[in-house]
Amino acid sequence: MNRPIQPTYTLDKVGEENFALNLGPQHPGTHGVLRVVLHMDGEYILQADPVLGYGHRMQEKIAENMTYPQALPYVCRMDYLGALSYNLAWVLAVEKLCQFEVPERAEAIRVIATELNRISSHLLWWGAFLLDLGGFTPFLQALTDRERILDILEEVTGSRLTYCYFRFGGLPSDVDEAWLTRVLDFIKEFRDRLPRYHDLVTGNVIFHHRSKDVGVILPFDAAGYGLSGPILRGSGINFDVRKHEPYSGYDRYDFEVPVDQNGDCLGRYNVRMAEIEQSLRIIEQAISAIPEGPVRSKVPKLIKAPEGEVAVAVETPRGQLVIYIVSEGGKKPYRVKYRVPSFANLSIFAKMAKGQLLADALAILGSLDMVIPEVDR
Amino acid sequence: MNISLLSVVGYLVAIAALVGLNAVILVWLERKVAGHMQFRLGPMEVGPHGILQTLADGIKLVSKQLVIPDEADKPLFLLAPIVSLVPIFAAMVPLPFSETVQAWELNIGLLLIIALGLLNTLGILLAGWGSNNKYALLGGARAVAQILAYKIPLLICVMTIIMMTGSFSLRDIAIAQKDTWNVLYQPILFIVYIITVTLETNRSPFDFSEAESELVAGFHTEYSGMGFSLFFLAEYSYMFIAAGLATVLFLGGWHGPWLPGVAWTLIKIYSIIFLMMWFRWTFPRVRIDQMLSFGWKILLPLSLINFIITAGVLAL
Amino acid sequence: MMECCYIKEVVKGFFSLCTGMRVTMGNVFTRPATVQWPRESAPLPDRFRGHIMMLADDATGYPKCIACTSCARNCPSQCIIVTGKKPEGAKKKMADRFELDFTKCSLCGLCVEICPVGALDFSRDYALASYTRNDFTTMDLLQELGSPF
Ligand code: SF4
Ligand code: SF4
């Protein structure tokens, strides 16, 4: 079928002045191939219809046609900014399905790597959000620090973006003392540099005016739309998978779940900034208490899963990711379902954008921290 | 007054050279400033420290095909960059660089520059309308809405200075500051002036009509090659004029110790331009309605109060 | 009181802008993070993943691969083609053709991990560029190694 997708819409106000504006699929403000059809009255948005699917790769179907290890690199390519969380979710799901043991040292390293990944994702979001608001320097300031995280992660995983580091039953390779010291050095330096972020942006009066009371999500809506991650916490609901359904040994670490009651862009901003600091704390604790021992338990070379189903939830930088696997036995899963956070988070955009100025709508979209390939899968 | 054709041509060539050279330097400077403020180096490859990069880019832009969208209003589309650029040649005329270096001493030079500054907006509006692109149109409309916010405070700023000097001639204003620069009398006014001028030249944090993350490239979304470079030329030339005006109005024109007058003028002009670049690479963009309320609620009262106080002080 | 708050806001806002400008000016005087590639390059970590390459047997200089095809079977993207035969007089098979379709490879490393004789490794070759994609659809990994055939 060659018919273009026609979004269904009803306009509240129909008149000569209204027009439809195609925001995307190529637009600097949509962070990827997202298209939003905006119905505008001058600068005001009457209705926003996100049109998805430009980056649809049938990730679930691919996973169903692959053996469990083969699906691993694909999973990490959904959310390219938080690849390790996806990596972790998949290995956790298969480990739970097949009841593989994971050594404690491997768990600790997993936590360190995932939290570093989370910081790098938040940093990129920080820069991109400011880019949406029109500030360019923050973007590159965040990138310089993110680059150092990428260097650190590259040293253990071998890649810079779409990491594929965790394996069933542990890790393919151990980390050494030098790497851990390097991480600690980074944390120290980064703590010194964090005030710069706050000086440049958090206190800035223009930024304040652009983000305060813009795009308010009420807690009721946040829960109703199935939002998760910093967006949910920015609306005053305290829910973090790491805290409430701990996996991979998160219950061993002492950290807080930052919550902001305002529900606006500034609230989400504050939550993410606080999360960066909490992640630093988690990493420090994980490194100081890292146990010795092997990093991979005995796992059969050919993985045949027993019959059954399993669901695993993981807190990615963007929210709650659930991987649900149904197995009929054998080397391949029968059905795989990804519940991705960005998809649910995007669902509230149409509601929030209504009646806003174009500039605000883009600020809202930026504050939602979209990764479009994750939405489209 | 005795103007020969030859001298007119001579001045025009000199101004054209100044406009071109200024743009080449400013584009390079902007990229360098941006680079170093963002832990980068900026252009490094063409020439020492990339000084010739703009030239290379310019040649590339000029040699590119001029794409005119099918649905565009062709005459307007082609006219817009020219409308933006041409007034600059006129606006440069009364700008004094030193006691002697000035294209033509006009006794209403200040008014001329202020009036011609508005034509830039016309160019943007034409571009926005002519390209038949919704983003461009929004950009053009924003540029017009913007005038409301900055023109009145700007005029009041200028009026205050005129009141202090008693002349519309830029040369007289500069001469009057021989001993003390106006900025020492009017620091707040100077800040207001810099803000309004940032608004007038469409520079971040007030770059509504380009607003990269919102409107793709705003009014020049559809322009490529030559049209795009003309807009660029115009933007940087307006910056130059605005900074030149600030120099004359507040920073004492060519007055300064040791160095010759022209050098002082250029130093002051480029410092102010650097300040505007510094703004651009530091701040996020203001929202358009916030800018309007900022113009009416803060800039206007500030400049008015200043005006009244100045008038009172002068009357005493 | 309102006016007082209002003016305070304005002044506070003004100073916040100055703080921001201080930060960017500070940036100017920090060392840039740029690495002037290709004149200099950033260090490559040991575990860097370039395209996969075939290791040579130290003793013979021939490829280590025994053509068991488990890498080809395990590759999620099916980008390895390997065939082998027995050289005359040898007991084990040896690869006579090992092609990698690098355009499909996701650099996941499953092949490297699965290989029973450790014949594969990641190269450290990252500056790959070519005028045709054919150069990467069939990369002959055996090319630079000796061959018994
Ligand atoms: S790295 Fe992965 S995708 Fe590439 S050839 Fe090896 S198994 Fe296949
Ligand atoms: S797994 Fe190793 S030995 Fe087997 S075919 Fe591949 S490279 Fe050769």
Side-chain angles (χ1 to χ4, degrees):
Chain A
M1 270 213 332
N2 283 327
R3 199 162 55 86
I5 302 165
Q6 293 288 344
T8 52
Y9 52 82
T10 49
L11 287 179
D12 300 351
K13 272 199 316 192
V14 181
E16 288 254 300
E17 309 284 294
N18 300 345
F19 59 95
L21 185 69
N22 257 314
L23 195 76
Q26 277 102 22
H27 186 283
T30 56
H31 303 274
V33 281
L34 171 69
R35 172 173 160 222
V36 187
V37 182
L38 296 174
H39 295 277
M40 316 259 302
D41 177 11
E43 289 255 338
Y44 285 92
I45 293 168
L46 300 177
Q47 189 172 335
D49 296 303
V51 183
L52 312 179
Y54 287 90
H56 180 47
R57 288 161 294 169
M58 296 180 282
Q59 287 280 9
E60 291 174 2
K61 204 72 205 163
I62 288 176
E64 286 160 20
N65 284 306
M66 299 262 165
T67 62
Y68 292 100
Q70 280 180 348
L72 200 52
Y74 282 93
V75 179
C76 311
R77 272 160 178 76
M78 263 185 281
D79 177 357
Y80 50 80
L81 296 181
L84 279 175
S85 301
Y86 271 74
N87 204 181
L88 184 60
W90 184 257
V91 296
L92 283 177
V94 175
E95 277 160 8
K96 197 168 161 192
L97 185 66
C98 307
Q99 276 144 11
F100 294 150
E101 294 285 317
V102 185
E104 279 199 5
R105 185 174 170 88
E107 281 197 335
I109 296 172
R110 280 179 182 184
V111 167
I112 297 170
T114 318
E115 290 304 319
L116 279 173
N117 197 199
R118 186 186 313 277
I119 297 174
S120 82
S121 168
H122 279 350
L123 280 179
L124 189 75
W125 164 82
W126 185 81
F129 180 44
L130 265 293
L131 201 58
D132 284 346
L133 297 181
F136 200 85
T137 301
F139 184 65
L140 284 150
Q141 178 168 332
L143 278 192
T144 28
D145 282 330
R146 179 173 175 268
E147 203 65 16
R148 318 232 317 257
I149 302 182
L150 296 192
D151 284 345
I152 290 174
L153 284 177
E154 189 185 17
E155 203 176 308
V156 289
T157 66
S159 39
R160 293 179 77 82
L161 199 63
T162 45
Y163 315 103
C164 180
Y165 179 46
F166 309 146
R167 298 288 188 276
F168 308 124
L171 305 167
S173 50
D174 200 354
V175 302
D176 53 7
E177 258 334 288
W179 185 76
L180 294 178
T181 339
R182 198 172 161 194
V183 175
L184 283 178
D185 286 348
F186 166 76
I187 292 178
K188 205 165 140 285
E189 279 170 44
F190 186 60
R191 282 236 169 87
D192 288 344
R193 284 167 67 93
L194 260 178
R196 270 201 199 187
Y197 287 68
H198 293 300
D199 282 349
L200 183 58
V201 170
T202 315
N204 189 302
V205 63
I206 300 177
F207 170 74
H208 235 255
H209 276 102
R210 285 297 305 274
S211 59
K212 192 150 178 50
D213 296 330
V214 170
V216 177
I217 306 177
L218 300 174
F220 175 77
D221 279 341
Y225 276 82
L227 309 186
S228 53
I231 303 173
L232 184 72
R233 296 192 281 275
S235 289
I237 298 182
N238 186 338
F239 176 76
D240 188 323
V241 186
R242 289 176 292 172
K243 200 81 177 176
H244 294 89
E245 298 165 23
Y247 54 88
S248 209
Y250 269 106
D251 44 353
R252 286 199 284 272
Y253 309 117
D254 166 38
F255 65 100
E256 282 151 30
V257 180
V259 173
D260 196 289
Q261 302 298 336
N262 293 324
D264 51 6
C265 290
L266 189 62
R268 296 190 272 281
Y269 173 92
N270 287 335
V271 165
R272 288 201 180 93
M273 291 313 272
E275 247 173 47
I276 291 181
E277 275 158 45
Q278 295 302 326
S279 290
L280 292 177
R281 268 183 70 193
I282 296 176
I283 299 172
E284 272 177 340
Q285 292 171 37
I287 290 182
S288 66
I290 193 161
E292 287 298 321
V295 290
R296 193 160 189 182
S297 61
K298 270 256 165 300
V299 170
K301 210 151 197 183
L302 187 68
I303 291 172
K304 278 205 170 116
E307 216 168 293
E309 52 187 271
V310 57
V312 162
V314 160
E315 182 79 20
T316 78
R318 265 150 285 282
Q320 183 188 33
L321 162 75
V322 180
I323 291 188
Y324 175 60
I325 302 177
V326 181
S327 159
E328 287 195 320
K331 291 190 284 185
K332 298 176 184 176
Y334 170 71
R335 176 78 175 95
V336 174
K337 162 80 187 151
Y338 302 122
R339 185 264 181 217
V340 294
S342 287
F343 184 73
N345 292 349
L346 182 63
S347 66
I348 202 168
F349 176 68
K351 182 180 164 114
M352 284 202 289
K354 208 170 193 155
Q356 302 280 356
L357 283 166
L358 180 63
D360 277 347
L362 282 157
I364 294 169
L365 197 61
S367 78
L368 291 182
D369 191 11
M370 287 291 124
V371 168
I372 305 303
E374 187 192 18
V375 177
D376 290 339
R377 278 163 290 157
Chain B
M1 203 151 292
N2 183 6
I3 315 166
S4 71
L5 189 66
L6 204 66
S7 69
V8 169
V9 171
Y11 287 139
L12 273 183
V13 168
I15 289 174
L18 182 64
V19 167
L21 201 66
N22 169 59
V24 167
I25 293 171
L26 280 191
V27 173
W28 175 79
L29 189 69
E30 174 117 82
R31 296 174 67 173
K32 274 296 189 198
V33 168
H36 282 281
M37 284 190 177
Q38 301 166 345
F39 310 98
R40 298 186 284 124
L41 293 168
M44 287 295 277
E45 292 300 314
V46 192
H49 283 261
I51 185 96
L52 298 177
Q53 182 69 45
T54 330
L55 227 56
D57 287 350
I59 292 169
K60 184 201 78 178
L61 278 175
V62 171
S63 59
K64 266 178 141 179
Q65 185 191 2
L66 184 60
V67 182
I68 305 176
D70 251 0
E71 305 272 302
D73 190 333
K74 283 203 184 76
L76 287 189
F77 186 80
L78 293 176
L79 195 63
I82 299 168
V83 170
S84 263
L85 190 64
V86 166
I88 286 162
F89 289 91
M92 287 259 186
V93 168
L95 206 62
F97 288 91
S98 82
E99 189 105 41
T100 45
V101 183
Q102 186 182 15
W104 188 17
E105 163 61 15
L106 265 178
N107 55 2
I108 51 157
L110 194 48
L111 270 189
L112 182 77
I113 292 181
I114 300 275
L116 287 173
L118 267 177
L119 276 180
N120 185 25
T121 312
L122 183 63
I124 292 176
L125 182 64
L126 286 185
W129 180 257
S131 20
N132 193 8
N133 174 315
K134 286 164 192 163
Y135 288 112
L137 183 60
L138 276 177
R142 281 179 175 194
V144 177
Q146 204 171 324
I147 297 181
L148 294 176
Y150 71 80
K151 217 62 206 202
I152 299 173
L154 177 63
L155 284 176
I156 293 176
C157 281
V158 173
M159 280 307 293
T160 319
I161 299 295
I162 292 170
M163 196 165 66
M164 285 169 67
T165 330
S167 167
F168 275 100
S169 153
L170 288 170
R171 195 148 172 258
D172 293 350
I173 294 174
I175 289 172
Q177 300 174 60
K178 194 166 177 17
D179 302 320
T180 349
W181 298 356
N182 279 342
V183 66
L184 297 178
Y185 294 125
Q186 304 282 15
I188 293 183
L189 208 60
F190 181 63
I191 294 170
V192 173
Y193 178 83
I194 292 290
I195 294 172
T196 50
V197 141
T198 319
L199 262 161
E200 182 174 16
T201 46
N202 273 320
R203 299 277 304 175
S204 181
F206 305 111
D207 55 344
F208 308 107
S209 46
E210 322 188 357
E212 148 125 33
S213 58
E214 293 157 26
L215 302 183
V216 189
F219 67 92
H220 61 65
T221 307
E222 295 287 0
Y223 283 88
S224 56
M226 202 60 209
F228 176 73
S229 42
L230 285 187
F231 273 124
F232 242 68
L233 214 60
E235 177 180 335
Y236 284 109
S237 309
Y238 276 112
M239 271 174 80
F240 184 83
I241 291 173
L245 211 54
T247 307
V248 175
L249 293 183
F250 292 98
L251 299 182
W254 59 84
H255 294 299
W258 307 305
L259 293 174
V262 180
W264 269 114
T265 316
L266 289 179
I267 289 174
K268 287 171 189 169
I269 288 179
Y270 282 105
S271 318
I272 290 179
I273 290 178
F274 175 76
L275 191 67
M276 285 160 81
M277 289 179 177
W278 193 0
F279 289 158
R280 172 163 179 189
W281 299 109
T282 305
F283 302 135
R285 189 181 309 113
V286 183
R287 208 171 62 206
I288 184 139
D289 60 318
Q290 286 167 349
M291 183 271 302
L292 287 175
S293 69
F294 174 69
W296 287 105
K297 287 190 193 152
I298 297 179
L299 290 186
L300 188 62
L302 261 184
S303 50
L304 259 183
I305 292 170
N306 222 303
F307 181 73
I308 293 168
I309 293 175
T310 315
V313 171
L314 282 179
L316 286 179
Chain C
M1 274 329 281
M2 268 295 287
E3 294 75 23
C4 172
C5 285
Y6 181 71
I7 291 169
K8 226 165 96 187
E9 280 283 293
V10 173
V11 173
K12 224 175 96 193
F14 180 74
F15 279 107
S16 78
L17 297 183
C18 293
T19 320
M21 288 174 67
R22 204 196 66 222
V23 173
T24 38
M25 194 35 92
N27 290 353
V28 173
F29 295 106
T30 15
R31 211 165 51 83
T34 315
V35 175
Q36 286 288 86
W37 199 81
R39 271 173 269 292
E40 17 173 315
S41 51
L44 272 190
D46 290 341
R47 288 186 198 164
F48 178 79
R49 297 187 186 178
H51 66 81
I52 55 167
M53 63 176 184
M54 176 65 64
L55 296 179
D57 196 318
D58 289 338
T60 58
Y62 295 152
K64 265 191 193 171
C65 175
I66 52 169
C68 70
T69 71
S70 61
C71 57
R73 272 180 285 124
N74 270 286
C75 172
S77 333
Q78 279 114 41
C79 48
I80 298 176
I81 298 172
V82 49
T83 58
K85 57 184 175 209
K86 275 191 196 145
E88 275 154 55
K91 276 194 219 101
K92 277 196 208 149
K93 270 209 286 187
M94 216 181 255
D96 60 351
R97 171 166 176 236
F98 197 106
E99 275 169 13
L100 167 71
D101 184 348
F102 188 53
T103 55
K104 284 195 211 153
C105 173
S106 53
L107 298 171
C108 62
L110 288 181
C111 51
V112 176
E113 271 167 48
I114 208 90
C115 180
V117 291
L120 294 174
D121 199 0
F122 295 111
S123 71
R124 303 172 63 77
D125 195 2
Y126 59 90
L128 295 169
S130 167
Y131 287 104
T132 84
R133 69 195 294 259
N134 293 343
D135 288 355
F136 301 120
T137 45
T138 49
M139 285 172 80
D140 188 358
L141 297 190
L142 299 181
Q143 210 165 29
E144 277 153 32
L145 303 177
S147 164
F149 304 109

